[in-house]
Amino acid sequence: MEPIELGLWVSGGMLVMVVLGMRVAFAAGLAGLVGLVLIFWAKRDFGMEHLGWALTVGIKTAGQVPHSKVSSQALSLIPTFILIGYLAYYAGLTRALFEAAKRWIAWVPGGLAVSTVFATAGFAAVSGASVATAAVFARIAIPEMLKIGYNKQFAAGVVAAGGTLASLIPPSAILVIYAIIVEQDVGKLLLAGFIPGMFSAVVYAILIIGIAVVFKSVGPPVRGFTWKERFLSLPPALPIVAVVVIIIFFVYNPFGDAWGTPTEGGAVGAFIVFCMALFHGMRWTELKSALLETAKLTVMIFTIIWGVLIYVRFLGFAELPSAFADWISSLTVSPMLILVCILLAYAVLGMFMDAIGMLLLTLPVVYPAVMALNGGEFVSAADSAFGMSGPMCAIWFGILVVKMAEFCLITPPIGLNCFVVAGVRDDLSVQDVFKGVTPFFIADGVTIALLVAFPSIVLWLPSLA
């Protein structure tokens, strides 16, 4: 049996395990281990006397993956970014941010919902985890919206959709994972996510205002705040701005050399928010909760990475990514049409898989195909299919797939943010939240279409670096 055939059979088996309910990390790890053993056994024509040798080599090859890959310095960004978010919550910075947004924005139709979206965007700028963002604002924003008469499904949908912004707005754990898988510059990818993330927030806000104008009872405006009250709300929220500025200057300093690496920026940001939390009276029990929640989420992400990277190692031996890239580049249809079909396939996959697992499983095969479609890793903008150089195409495609991962966080039946919001609120069912996020599918579709049509939205900021 040829390696490519083995790759297809093992990949099919892994998908069956995922559909049957096995965790992505364990399904991918098991498939990768079995695939490696079969690959080495096939080199000896499947002779029974060589099965022990194949098992030994396959297990040793798989065993090298977790340490060699997860010891990457770039991955240390993930726990620091997650910790920043939880510490900011316990420091009271999230409530201060929401209060400032409410006083300045809530006077527009659907104003409290719009305030929630921009507050989640602000919190996303210090938190790399969408799940944490959704959980925090389910506690803060939903009671405020229900208090003035918002439909509970719509209020839940706003929080679940707003939480997805943490996937794009730096610091973003998913962008870091993408950068490591495709071996691209973490700093430039984090920069690239900033404008598309804020653009997504603006599209959400426009959608909410439109709904509130058409359906008067959906989101009544909140008025009565004086200019003094508005300005007084700004100082408590300024620490978040300070942390964002510090992280950006560590990633990219527009006035000179960067202050350090993104990893160092994440560590400094976490230390600053820790000091702020202590200043605001954080106790040992709250610090312990923040550390435990960070550890739980980090372990979950790293476990998925371990399992999937074993599967990726197998794919390399099976030569499946290069074969898929050759097949894609040989098609005679428009490259843009192929790209759109790939994004639609992500939308379907996201209905059955979590965002991180989906990207980790597909990128080793899909990324080389997209790069080949554009003309290769080192193609110039003039000779490319999408009108951008190879490195810029890698950044653009990364933002597109991470935006698709955002979309998958709210799509049934697996939409993780919806389950988180329902879990935090006893008065909401998962069905309520899924109904509430339905209008935001339209907003995400519009955003993705505009990012595809106008790549400069993504590429302008990283091009300056």
Side-chain angles (χ1 to χ4, degrees):
M1 186 179 290
E2 293 295 318
I4 291 177
E5 293 179 76
L6 275 174
L8 292 172
W9 278 108
V10 172
S11 299
M14 183 201 64
L15 290 176
V16 169
M17 287 188 284
V18 171
V19 169
L20 291 176
M22 183 180 284
R23 298 284 185 182
V24 170
F26 305 127
L30 179 60
L33 176 59
V34 171
L36 285 168
V37 171
L38 291 175
I39 284 285
F40 291 118
W41 197 18
K43 293 180 183 293
R44 303 294 175 91
D45 298 321
F46 296 107
M48 290 304 298
E49 67 275 16
H50 299 300
L51 177 58
W53 171 83
L55 279 169
T56 301
V57 177
I59 291 171
K60 284 184 177 179
T61 304
Q64 293 170 357
V65 172
H67 178 265
S68 64
K69 294 294 184 180
V70 180
S71 60
S72 166
Q73 185 187 37
L75 276 176
S76 61
L77 279 170
I78 293 174
T80 56
F81 286 173
I82 295 170
L83 180 60
I84 288 173
Y86 281 111
L87 288 175
Y89 170 66
Y90 286 109
L93 298 180
T94 50
R95 185 167 292 280
L97 191 65
F98 177 72
E99 187 63 30
K102 182 174 74 173
R103 294 186 185 186
W104 283 90
I105 303 172
W107 58 271
V108 303
L112 209 52
V114 176
S115 302
T116 300
V117 166
F118 284 113
T120 56
F123 183 68
V126 293
S127 171
S130 295
V131 171
T133 305
V136 165
F137 281 90
R139 295 184 177 97
I140 295 172
I142 291 179
E144 294 275 348
M145 286 188 273
L146 296 182
K147 193 185 300 181
I148 65 167
Y150 271 71
N151 176 279
K152 71 175 184 178
Q153 294 176 351
F154 182 67
V158 168
V159 171
T164 66
L165 297 172
S167 296
L168 269 184
I169 297 175
S172 164
I174 294 183
L175 275 175
V176 173
I177 291 170
Y178 173 85
I180 291 166
I181 293 294
V182 304
E183 299 180 348
Q184 291 295 321
D185 185 271
V186 175
K188 286 189 176 181
L189 274 161
L190 291 175
L191 277 178
F194 185 76
I195 293 178
M198 297 309 298
F199 183 75
S200 295
V202 171
V203 174
Y204 281 169
I206 293 171
L207 172 73
I208 291 168
I209 293 171
I211 291 173
V213 168
V214 175
F215 303 99
K216 303 291 185 183
S217 61
V218 168
V222 178
R223 298 186 175 92
F225 293 111
T226 65
W227 284 104
K228 181 180 178 181
E229 289 174 324
R230 288 172 178 167
F231 282 110
L232 286 175
S233 69
L234 294 179
L238 286 180
I240 284 185
V241 178
V243 173
V244 173
V245 170
I246 288 168
I247 291 175
I248 288 176
F249 271 75
F250 266 90
V251 174
Y252 164 64
N253 180 2
F255 305 109
D257 294 334
W259 293 355
T261 65
T263 302
E264 292 165 344
V268 171
F271 177 73
I272 291 172
V273 176
F274 172 68
C275 293
M276 293 174 184
L278 291 178
F279 178 76
H280 283 81
M282 182 179 67
R283 298 290 183 263
W284 164 244
T285 54
E286 295 167 332
L287 175 60
K288 181 181 176 181
S289 297
L291 293 173
L292 284 174
E293 292 298 325
T294 300
K296 288 177 185 176
L297 195 50
T298 302
V299 168
M300 183 191 77
I301 292 172
F302 274 50
T303 303
I304 295 172
I305 293 173
W306 286 334
V308 172
L309 287 180
I310 293 171
Y311 171 69
V312 169
R313 178 66 61 90
F314 158 69
L315 287 181
F317 279 99
E319 301 176 355
L320 202 58
S322 57
F324 185 70
D326 292 341
W327 175 70
I328 286 288
S329 57
S330 69
L331 297 175
T332 56
V333 297
S334 162
M336 187 59 73
L337 178 61
I338 296 173
L339 177 66
V340 170
C341 290
I342 289 173
L343 295 178
L344 290 174
Y346 272 114
V348 175
L349 270 178
M351 295 180 181
F352 307 101
M353 298 176 67
D354 65 274
I356 294 174
M358 179 182 69
L359 293 188
L360 284 168
L361 285 175
T362 58
L363 283 174
V365 175
V366 173
Y367 173 77
V370 172
M371 297 306 291
L373 206 58
N374 188 51
E377 293 272 357
F378 306 106
V379 69
S380 65
D383 298 326
S384 65
F386 298 130
M388 63 192 77
S389 66
M392 287 293 106
C393 182
I395 292 173
W396 178 58
F397 180 65
I399 297 302
L400 291 179
V401 295
V402 170
K403 181 61 189 176
M404 292 306 302
E406 277 190 5
F407 183 68
C408 298
L409 286 168
I410 57 174
T411 52
I414 304 295
L416 192 55
N417 276 20
C418 298
F419 280 93
V420 168
V421 172
V424 171
R425 300 286 306 181
D426 294 334
D427 56 336
L428 288 167
S429 66
V430 176
Q431 290 77 13
D432 288 331
V433 187
F434 277 128
K435 288 177 183 176
V437 297
T438 303
F440 294 93
F441 297 160
I442 300 170
D444 280 338
V446 170
T447 301
I448 293 165
L450 290 173
L451 295 181
V452 170
F454 303 102
S456 57
I457 299 173
V458 175
L459 299 178
W460 178 72
L461 203 54
S463 69
L464 298 180

